[in-house]
Amino acid sequence: MNKVKLLEVKKLLKELEFIESDFEYRNEIISEADTQFINSINLFLQNHPDLKEIYDNKVTEKINQSIKKTQENAEEQSENESNQEQISEDDTDNKNDEPENIEEIEPENKNTKHLSQLKKLYREIVKLTHPDKVKNPKLNELYLKATAYYDQSNKIGIYAVCNELSIEYEIDTDDITLIYNEIQKLQQKINFIESTYTWKWYNCEDPQQKDQILMNYIKLKII
């Protein structure tokens, strides 16, 4: 890989590493804030009894609708299974009309090259980081990371470890596209988190605006 392309790939991988960290941070924040947000909703409703009654009735209505829908789906599934059993019986009656000894053609393994390169790079990493070979906590940590990536067949993660160890590798266009796509997916998840009522409420400092966010959420639920 030429130097310019290598620098571009390293930049992409650093961007991916940053956005992964950013997503994990925001995801942890939203998980903690969800409980606070729900508690604030409940407190807000307690302070507005008339609104609470409307809200509770609407929630109960939606729960009943969900239960009814679940029951209907279960009945429909049961009916489909009964029909499938009848079809299976008919197939059994006619199985003598079908040709026997049809050989199954196994699909060609399209991942052979991918797995071969993954294994080769992983071996190079192991040589430099395995605890039995190297007594260095930082390198040993890279060994654990690489092993996890290898078990997951995560070539992008392996590339990132190779960069940290200055191990040379070749990367094709498909892998570069994969990195771009992963960055885009994580950015979309971050955008979704930032669009939630919980996130907006948690990051709002004005008490009146926080109450307005709670009110907007309640209105959405009772419509």
Side-chain angles (χ1 to χ4, degrees):
M1 188 189 316
N2 64 59
K3 188 173 182 179
V4 173
K5 187 176 181 180
L6 177 61
L7 290 173
E8 291 176 352
V9 171
K10 284 185 175 182
K11 179 177 178 295
L12 266 182
L13 290 171
K14 284 293 183 183
E15 184 177 350
L16 177 58
E17 181 182 2
F18 171 79
I19 202 167
E20 283 176 338
S21 177
D22 191 34
F23 169 70
E24 289 173 3
Y25 162 75
R26 292 169 189 270
N27 201 39
E28 289 179 7
I29 290 293
I30 206 75
S31 296
E32 293 293 327
D34 270 339
T35 301
Q36 299 176 35
F37 181 71
I38 295 302
N39 290 338
S40 295
I41 288 288
N42 292 333
L43 181 60
F44 186 89
L45 289 171
Q46 288 175 9
N47 293 330
H48 300 80
D50 294 341
L51 185 60
K52 184 178 188 304
E53 182 179 359
I54 297 172
Y55 182 86
D56 289 343
N57 289 339
K58 193 65 178 180
V59 169
T60 301
E61 178 185 342
K62 289 184 177 181
I63 290 174
N64 291 335
Q65 289 175 350
S66 178
I67 292 173
K68 182 180 178 181
K69 185 66 175 178
T70 300
Q71 291 173 340
E72 290 174 351
N73 289 340
E75 292 173 0
E76 183 179 352
Q77 182 178 357
S78 178
E79 182 179 350
N80 290 338
E81 289 175 353
S82 297
N83 292 336
Q84 188 63 40
E85 288 177 2
Q86 182 61 46
I87 293 173
S88 298
E89 291 175 1
D90 293 340
D91 288 345
T92 301
D93 293 337
N94 297 324
K95 73 176 183 178
N96 291 331
D97 297 333
E98 299 177 357
E100 298 181 357
N101 299 325
I102 298 178
E103 295 183 0
E104 294 185 1
I105 301 176
E106 295 185 2
E108 182 181 355
N109 186 357
K110 297 181 180 180
N111 293 326
T112 301
K113 182 178 179 181
H114 166 84
L115 294 175
S116 177
Q117 184 181 15
L118 193 69
K119 183 180 291 187
K120 179 181 178 181
L121 293 176
Y122 177 66
R123 285 175 176 172
E124 293 298 318
I125 292 171
V126 169
K127 291 177 183 177
L128 300 175
T129 62
H130 197 287
D132 291 343
K133 301 176 180 292
V134 182
K135 302 302 180 184
N136 183 308
K138 183 177 180 180
L139 293 177
N140 297 157
E141 181 66 25
L142 287 177
Y143 166 76
L144 294 176
K145 287 174 62 175
T147 300
Y149 290 140
Y150 180 74
D151 290 341
Q152 299 163 7
S153 295
N154 184 343
K155 195 191 290 187
I156 294 176
I158 291 293
Y159 288 149
V161 176
C162 285
N163 283 340
E164 294 192 54
L165 295 169
S166 299
I167 295 175
E168 294 185 0
Y169 57 86
E170 292 295 326
I171 184 169
D172 56 32
T173 304
D174 288 342
D175 287 335
I176 294 176
T177 301
L178 186 63
I179 298 173
Y180 273 118
N181 290 341
E182 191 62 27
I183 291 172
Q184 291 299 316
K185 287 179 184 177
L186 287 169
Q187 187 59 59
Q188 288 172 3
K189 291 180 179 180
I190 289 172
N191 292 342
F192 173 76
I193 288 174
E194 292 179 344
S195 72
T196 62
Y197 285 97
T198 300
W199 182 265
K200 292 176 181 178
W201 174 85
Y202 181 80
N203 287 278
C204 179
E205 297 182 356
D206 184 280
Q208 291 184 343
Q209 289 184 8
K210 289 177 83 75
D211 283 349
Q212 185 59 51
I213 292 171
L214 295 176
M215 189 62 197
N216 291 340
Y217 175 83
I218 292 170
K219 286 181 179 179
L220 178 68
K221 291 300 180 180
I222 63 179
I223 292 176

